Amino acid sequence: MKKLIVLLLISLSINAFSQNKGKALLNEVSSKVKGYENISIDFKYTLENISENIKQETKGDVVMQSDQYRLNILGVTRLFDGKTLYSISTEDEEVTISSEIDDENDAITPSKMLSFYEDGYTYVLDIEQNINGRKIQYVKLVPIDSNSEIKNILLGIDSQTKHIYNLIQVGKNGTKTTLTVNSFKTNTPLSKSLFTFDANKYKDFYINKLD
């Protein structure tokens, strides 16, 4: 019985240590990110669902400053000025206007991508991998909300730069989405109108306003 108690205490100690290390690492990432005036990222996005025989890959880019962002992916520009989200499809000649909260629900949006883990998750250190000469330390996050559509998330962090290398999200429906950062630039000169929606450019577009 004593041996069982000792083993249990050791197991709990290791788990607590792993959680503390994971929290410390995420705090470093968060602190570094918040020190930048703006961040520009080029990335690869992959969506997979083996049971549905689905695999899609695409590239995109995003510029973030405070709560604002400009995201280009799948032929759509998503512009968030801090209050309103504009989804602009040149191919469909349509602009959808909504609030980011209403539009995204449980999704990890660009404005949350580098800080979403600060609330609502338990986390523990996972594996460390050597990827192209870079040491990537993974932290596993599990939503506290049992109703979340997310099963878990693996957040890969470059041990040297403390920048996010990739994010692997597994849904309860079996869908896995992976976002891999190809380039990460900070504090670059930005146009003052980068996050401003100019209605004059889309006079001939169909405007779809969501309540």
Side-chain angles (χ1 to χ4, degrees), residues 48-61:
E48 295 177 272
N49 189 311
I50 296 174
S51 63
E52 299 292 334
N53 196 28
I54 296 173
K55 183 170 183 179
Q56 300 173 342
E57 288 188 1
T58 188
K59 291 183 179 179
D61 61 83

Side-chain angles (χ1 to χ4, degrees), residues 86-89 93-97 197 202 205-208:
Y86 302 88
S87 297
I88 306 164
S89 173
E93 295 190 342
E94 180 178 348
V95 177
T96 301
I97 303 174
F197 177 72
Y202 308 100
F205 281 41
Y206 173 72
I207 306 298
N208 180 22

Side-chain angles (χ1 to χ4, degrees), residues 11 35 57 64 69 113 123 135 141 148 170 181-182 184 191 196 199-200 202:
S11 177
E57 288 188 1
M64 296 172 282
Y69 65 80
M113 192 181 79
Y123 32 76
K135 287 186 178 180
L141 300 98
S148 173
V170 179
V181 175
N182 293 323
F184 189 104
S191 166
T196 303
N200 291 324
Y202 308 100

Side-chain angles (χ1 to χ4, degrees), residues 15 20 52 73-74 85 113 122 146 156 188 196 199 209:
N15 188 48
N20 290 336
E52 299 292 334
I73 189 170
L74 296 172
L85 177 65
M113 192 181 79
T122 60
S146 59
T188 57
T196 303
K209 274 194 171 185

Side-chain angles (χ1 to χ4, degrees), residues 15-193:
N15 188 48
F17 175 77
S18 182
Q19 288 182 2
N20 290 336
K21 291 285 286 184
K23 183 177 181 180
L25 180 57
L26 292 178
N27 285 343
E28 281 189 79
V29 175
S30 178
S31 178
K32 194 156 191 178
V33 165
K34 289 176 180 177
Y36 297 130
E37 184 176 338
N38 59 65
I39 297 172
S40 301
I41 295 174
D42 289 335
F43 61 87
K44 181 176 76 171
Y45 179 84
T46 305
L47 183 148
E48 295 177 272
N49 189 311
I50 296 174
S51 63
E52 299 292 334
N53 196 28
I54 296 173
K55 183 170 183 179
Q56 300 173 342
E57 288 188 1
T58 188
K59 291 183 179 179
D61 61 83
V62 62
V63 181
M64 296 172 282
Q65 181 171 276
S66 186
D67 291 332
Q68 302 172 310
Y69 65 80
R70 188 181 192 94
L71 168 68
N72 296 300
I73 189 170
L74 296 172
V76 176
T77 297
R78 296 167 69 82
L79 174 63
F80 185 63
D81 61 10
K83 294 182 179 179
T84 305
L85 177 65
Y86 302 88
S87 297
I88 306 164
S89 173
T90 304
E91 182 179 348
D92 297 329
E93 295 190 342
E94 180 178 348
V95 177
T96 301
I97 303 174
S98 64
S99 72
E100 186 190 44
I101 295 174
D102 292 340
D103 186 76
E104 298 297 344
N105 297 319
D106 201 24
I108 297 171
T109 63
S111 57
K112 297 188 296 182
M113 192 181 79
L114 302 177
S115 61
F116 74 91
Y117 48 78
E118 293 177 352
D119 297 297
Y121 294 88
T122 60
Y123 32 76
V124 63
L125 277 183
D126 206 88
I127 63 172
E128 182 183 79
Q129 289 186 332
N130 190 312
I131 302 177
N132 297 324
R134 300 165 64 184
K135 287 186 178 180
I136 307 299
Q137 173 64 61
Y138 284 91
V139 179
K140 186 175 184 178
L141 300 98
V142 178
I144 295 173
D145 182 4
S146 59
N147 294 320
S148 173
E149 295 179 3
I150 300 171
K151 182 179 179 181
N152 60 62
I153 295 171
L154 280 173
L155 195 62
I157 299 167
D158 188 310
S159 298
Q160 182 176 358
T161 65
K162 299 300 185 291
H163 290 163
I164 292 175
Y165 168 72
N166 68 351
L167 182 154
I168 304 168
Q169 177 176 301
V170 179
K172 290 180 178 177
N173 63 356
T175 299
K176 181 172 78 171
T177 55
T178 304
L179 188 151
T180 303
V181 175
N182 293 323
S183 73
F184 189 104
K185 299 177 182 178
T186 61
N187 302 338
T188 57
L190 302 178
S191 166
K192 291 182 179 179
S193 61

